[in-house]
Amino acid sequence: MGQDSSRLSIPLNEQHYTFIFIGKTGTGKSSLCNRISGTNTFEESGSGTSETSEPKAAESNHFGVPVTVVDTPGIMDTSVDSDKAKIKSLEEMYQAINLCPPGGKRAIILVLKYSDRFKNEEELCIYIAEKIFGDVCFGKCCIIIFTHGDLFDEKYGEEDTTFDDWCRQEQEIKSELGKLLEKCKNRILLFSKYDNGKKLKEQMESLLRLTDTLDESYTVEKFREAKTRHNRLRLESILPEKLKDYDAQLREIESNVNENSIQDQTIENLMSYDKETSKILDHLTAEDVGVFYEEGESSLFEEPKLRAKKMLELIHLQVLSKLKMDLTSSLYTLKHKVRSCKDEGEVSKVEEERLRLFQSFAKFGLIINQEDIEIDVDNIEINLQSKDLDFFQDVKRLIKEFEKTMVEKMKTLVKGKTKSELESELKLLYTQLYSIPDSDFSTEIPIDIKRKASQFLATIRRSDSMKSLVESFLELEKQAASKIVQCKRNKAHTIADLGLSVFFGAASILGAAVSAGSRGIVKVAPVIMSTIAAARATAMHAWVLPRDVAYFLPRGLRNIRNRLQT
């Protein structure tokens, strides 16, 4: 540690000073850091190649006040290209800030070599420095030190020109260097390479006094504020490569979606394209997080974002079209089968086929019954919206037409039945109704029984020979309606009970996972979510029997416990 125990007649303002040295490779920055710190901590180089591979810090004491010196690699390392230099500077500046002690005053020390002409390379260095620290903050917290002051003395030693005069001349001619000096409010010092101890002491006093005049100290908070600018700089350096990668990903999806007709697509494929595109859009949105943008400025990823959004709209439209096409085609096929039925057994088989068809569309977010279609907006497999229901108006009409065809066919078949056949049919329907448990919540069977009873009644009411069966079928229709109400009530109770059971069971086990630490939470969280999702599916679809609920919940919670234990 370098020590200077002498005291100043006029005390300094601060109890600790920290200097963050930045500058292009070859300016003598590391050498200056060694002289100020009184150490050999910082590797020196006479070439244009940076010897400092990462930020380093050293402590010293001047005039009884602690001083921390933090050296960084050259902002524009001549050994790497400009894009790599930007990224390298940003990453190492993060490290440099972490080396700074928390207290006292911090100054950014920009080191320039006096003998160097202020060229494009230097201008680029300043541009990067302003991006790193923020242009406003750079002007308020920066001091410029010119090294190789001995070269200045050789040039102007016999003249009356002082270093201050030279700085004023640069500003008067409005050179790029002059503009920089003005931006830093003339906080400029000249250090000679071969100063003796007395000269260095004078220069250190000037540096400390000048630091006291800074408008602001460069704090960690200011560095965090400038991070968005840093991120912008980093992003700009790799933007072409990123845009090329996103373009390739979107092109592949666009090719898969556009080159195949709706008939050749499958819902599963379209859903996979939707997920891939959504993932790309999420990544594009994440790219902008923490990146600086001027007010009203568009995202650097605006074009691929718009492409991804348009692709999602197209895929969504194709999903709707495919669902409508498949459902319409299947209904027409079933309608043709109904018309070809020769007895009620064949009609019942078609009815079962229709039920399976409607159930198969539930996983795609369509809840279909004999009269209507609803959208399951919470479906986790496919993102349908309530407004999408308008797309299926034609299908709704087709469903009603199909139901009408079923009724007409049943009427035709019933007309040809004898009284004894109808009595057997009535007995069978009663048997089916009474076999439904009081705790069941599926309405499919009672709805089917009520529909058949209504069909029989519509046929036999005008037949004098069948009048004795009318009361029996009316009673059957009434009891079936009551059973439907009971099943709906059971379903509501089941959903409520299931929700509470899952909530308290999952909360209890999650509490145990919290006690077990973060690894416990990570282990059980996916199981808890899948348990809740499966419970929701159980509650949503009426064709799942109560025994499935009774079996599912304890099994799901046992899985959670087993995962936690392992």
Side-chain angles (χ1 to χ4, degrees):
M1 176 185 291
Q3 298 289 337
D4 181 358
S5 58
S6 59
R7 301 286 174 173
L8 297 171
S9 57
I10 302 176
L12 298 166
N13 294 345
E14 300 293 333
Q15 298 301 311
H16 196 126
Y17 292 84
T18 299
F19 299 117
I20 305 170
F21 284 80
I22 63 173
K24 190 185 74 167
T25 306
T27 59
K29 173 172 56 65
S30 297
S31 176
L32 179 59
C33 289
N34 278 333
R35 291 175 56 224
I36 291 175
S37 66
T39 70
N40 292 314
T41 301
F42 311 101
E43 299 175 28
E44 302 179 23
S45 171
S47 67
T49 303
S50 175
E51 293 291 338
T52 305
S53 59
E54 61 183 18
K56 294 180 180 179
E59 302 291 334
S60 63
N61 191 296
H62 291 271
F63 311 108
V65 178
V67 173
T68 300
V69 176
V70 180
D71 187 19
T72 65
I75 279 188
M76 182 53 65
D77 189 342
T78 54
S79 66
V80 296
D81 62 49
S82 60
D83 284 341
K84 288 182 180 178
K86 292 176 187 178
I87 298 173
K88 183 171 180 282
S89 298
L90 288 170
E91 291 173 347
E92 292 172 345
M93 195 53 63
Y94 293 150
Q95 300 174 35
I97 290 296
N98 290 329
L99 292 174
C100 299
K105 196 160 192 176
R106 298 177 183 178
I108 302 166
I109 308 298
L110 173 60
V111 181
L112 300 174
K113 185 177 179 180
Y114 166 71
S115 58
D116 285 349
R117 293 182 60 187
F118 202 75
K119 298 176 293 186
N120 291 341
E121 190 174 335
E122 279 73 18
E123 290 179 27
L124 184 56
C125 291
I126 303 306
Y127 166 77
I128 295 174
E130 289 180 337
K131 287 292 184 180
I132 291 175
F133 295 99
D135 50 358
V136 175
C137 190
F138 186 69
K140 290 182 177 181
C141 309
C142 184
I143 295 172
I144 299 175
I145 291 182
F146 281 89
T147 60
H148 296 74
D150 47 304
L151 297 177
F152 178 87
D153 293 337
E154 288 177 10
K155 184 174 182 178
Y156 295 101
E158 297 179 1
E159 301 179 18
D160 293 333
T161 302
T162 66
F163 182 66
D164 289 339
D165 293 335
W166 179 79
C167 292
R168 279 193 294 272
Q169 290 173 9
E170 289 293 328
Q171 293 181 63
E172 286 171 1
I173 64 175
K174 297 189 181 301
S175 65
E176 292 302 318
L177 176 59
K179 294 175 184 178
L180 173 64
L181 302 181
E182 186 175 349
K183 181 176 290 187
C184 290
K185 300 183 180 180
N186 294 308
R187 293 187 289 264
I188 314 159
L189 293 173
L190 179 67
F191 275 59
S192 297
K193 187 174 183 179
Y194 302 109
D195 288 335
N196 57 33
K198 182 180 178 181
K199 185 69 172 178
L200 177 62
K201 186 181 294 186
E202 291 174 357
Q203 291 175 332
M204 277 305 303
E205 182 178 356
S206 297
L207 176 58
L208 295 172
R209 297 287 187 200
L210 199 55
T211 304
D212 281 341
T213 68
L214 289 177
D215 298 334
E216 296 177 0
S217 176
Y218 194 74
T219 63
V220 175
E221 288 72 23
K222 288 184 176 62
F223 186 73
R224 287 171 181 162
E225 289 174 7
K227 262 191 175 182
T228 56
R229 295 178 183 270
H230 310 170
N231 293 337
R232 173 67 177 259
L233 187 63
R234 181 196 299 267
L235 189 57
E236 286 177 346
S237 69
I238 57 176
L239 184 61
E241 192 175 321
K242 279 187 169 289
L243 289 175
K244 184 179 179 181
D245 181 52
Y246 283 122
D247 177 69
Q249 293 181 54
L250 288 170
R251 280 180 183 275
E252 183 177 357
I253 296 174
E254 288 166 350
S255 174
N256 290 329
V257 172
N258 294 326
E259 289 184 5
N260 296 314
S261 64
I262 295 293
Q263 291 88 343
D264 297 330
Q265 296 281 16
T266 66
I267 296 294
E268 288 77 12
N269 282 344
L270 290 170
M271 288 169 62
S272 70
Y273 302 149
D274 181 273
K275 287 180 180 179
E276 290 174 23
T277 309
S278 296
K279 189 175 180 179
I280 293 172
L281 186 57
D282 289 342
H283 288 168
L284 287 167
T285 303
E287 297 279 13
D288 285 330
V289 175
V291 175
F292 174 78
Y293 285 101
E294 299 286 355
E295 186 176 353
E297 183 183 5
S298 298
S299 165
L300 294 172
F301 298 94
E302 191 67 19
E303 190 272 337
K305 278 185 180 178
L306 289 174
R307 278 177 66 188
K309 289 176 181 177
K310 288 181 179 178
M311 182 53 52
L312 284 174
E313 291 175 1
L314 175 60
I315 293 171
H316 188 72
L317 183 61
Q318 289 200 6
V319 166
L320 293 177
S321 299
K322 183 62 176 176
L323 287 172
K324 181 179 178 180
M325 180 182 298
D326 289 352
L327 188 54
T328 300
S329 174
S330 298
L331 284 170
Y332 274 122
T333 299
L334 289 178
K335 192 174 181 180
H336 177 73
K337 285 184 178 181
V338 169
R339 288 172 175 166
S340 303
C341 289
K342 295 180 171 55
D343 55 48
E344 290 177 71
E346 292 182 0
V347 174
S348 296
K349 288 181 180 179
V350 175
E351 173 63 20
E352 291 173 1
E353 195 174 340
R354 176 177 69 168
L355 180 59
R356 289 193 298 272
L357 171 68
F358 289 171
Q359 290 176 358
S360 69
F361 280 84
K363 63 181 179 181
F364 303 126
L366 293 179
I367 308 301
I368 312 173
N369 56 39
Q370 288 93 335
E371 298 179 353
D372 204 0
I373 300 177
E374 295 178 4
I375 299 291
D376 179 9
V377 295
D378 296 323
N379 186 283
I380 59 176
E381 294 296 327
I382 191 167
N383 186 29
L384 296 184
Q385 303 297 321
S386 298
K387 62 181 181 180
D388 294 332
L389 196 58
D390 293 339
F391 202 83
F392 296 95
Q393 293 303 317
D394 290 342
V395 181
K396 278 186 175 184
R397 285 192 288 271
L398 187 58
I399 289 173
K400 291 179 179 179
E401 288 176 10
F402 178 81
E403 181 64 20
K404 184 178 179 181
T405 301
M406 290 277 286
V407 171
E408 293 297 329
K409 188 64 178 181
M410 283 298 294
K411 283 183 179 179
T412 301
L413 293 173
V414 168
K415 284 180 181 177
K417 284 183 175 290
T418 64
K419 186 175 182 180
S420 62
E421 287 175 331
L422 287 175
E423 288 174 342
S424 297
E425 196 74 49
L426 179 64
K427 183 178 180 180
L428 179 61
L429 291 175
Y430 266 112
T431 301
Q432 289 178 347
L433 184 64
Y434 292 152
S435 67
I436 301 173
D438 290 339
S439 59
D440 202 351
F441 61 77
S442 174
T443 58
E444 293 295 332
I445 295 176
I447 285 177
D448 184 57
I449 292 172
K450 181 176 181 295
R451 181 178 59 80
K452 288 180 178 179
S454 300
Q455 291 172 349
F456 284 130
L457 281 169
T459 304
I460 65 176
R461 269 200 173 105
R462 297 179 182 178
S463 174
D464 293 336
S465 62
M466 301 290 185
K467 283 185 178 180
S468 60
L469 293 176
V470 171
E471 279 304 316
S472 298
F473 275 109
L474 283 172
E475 181 61 26
L476 175 63
E477 187 181 45
K478 181 180 177 182
Q479 290 188 29
S482 298
K483 180 59 73 173
I484 292 170
V485 173
Q486 183 184 32
C487 288
K488 287 181 178 179
R489 185 165 55 246
N490 291 340
K491 182 178 179 180
H493 292 162
T494 301
I495 292 172
D497 292 343
L498 184 61
L500 288 173
S501 298
V502 170
F503 175 79
F504 287 115
S508 173
I509 294 172
L510 185 58
V514 171
S515 300
S518 58
R519 291 186 65 185
I521 296 175
V522 171
K523 280 185 177 183
V524 304
V527 185
I528 290 175
M529 294 307 297
S530 63
T531 298
I532 293 173
R536 177 186 170 280
T538 301
M540 278 296 298
H541 307 304
W543 56 82
V544 179
L545 299 178
R547 61 176 177 273
D548 297 322
V549 179
Y551 165 76
F552 160 77
L553 184 59
R555 182 169 178 264
L557 295 179
R558 280 199 302 274
N559 286 340
I560 297 174
R561 288 194 181 91
N562 292 337
R563 284 288 290 275
L564 182 58
Q565 289 169 356
T566 57

